[in-house]
């Protein structure tokens, strides 16, 4: 797995890679920071971070390796 700091995550593979490697992500609603943490689970519609489900259509997910 090789993701750049700040890289947008959009595909299932991106989220699975982050679960496998325990790499944190940041969650944004437009340009407003909402959360940071590790992906706990995901499905076609949602990504779960810190026990909160974030809709994949509404939120942006950003890789934060080294955080």
């Amino acid at each position: 797995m090789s993701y750049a700091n700040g890289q947008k995550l959009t595909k299932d593979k991106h989220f699975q890679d982050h679960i496998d490697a325990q790499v944190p992500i940041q969650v944004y609603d437009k340009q407003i920071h909402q959360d940071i943490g590790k992906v706990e689970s995901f499905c076609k519609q949602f990504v779960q971070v810190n026990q909160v489900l974030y809709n994949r259509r509404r939120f942006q997910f950003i890789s934060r390796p080294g955080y």
Side-chain angles (χ1 to χ4, degrees):
M1 181 186 102
S2 179
Y3 290 90
N5 191 30
Q7 182 175 340
K8 289 184 182 179
L9 309 176
T10 57
K11 300 180 181 184
D12 287 351
K13 180 178 178 4
H14 297 161
F15 296 110
Q16 188 61 55
D17 286 347
H18 280 69
I19 288 174
D20 293 345
Q22 292 293 295
V23 172
I25 66 167
Q26 280 187 288
V27 181
Y28 286 88
D29 184 4
K30 296 180 179 64
Q31 294 182 346
I32 300 170
H33 178 263
Q34 299 294 310
D35 205 351
I36 189 166
K38 294 178 181 169
V39 178
E40 298 165 348
S41 64
F42 67 93
C43 66
K44 184 176 180 178
Q45 296 175 323
F46 297 98
V47 175
Q48 183 175 350
V49 176
N50 297 324
Q51 300 179 347
V52 177
L53 293 175
Y54 293 98
N55 187 298
R56 288 174 68 167
R57 293 176 125 185
R58 177 176 174 179
F59 295 92
Q60 291 183 330
F61 305 94
I62 306 298
S63 182
R64 291 296 183 212
Y67 180 80

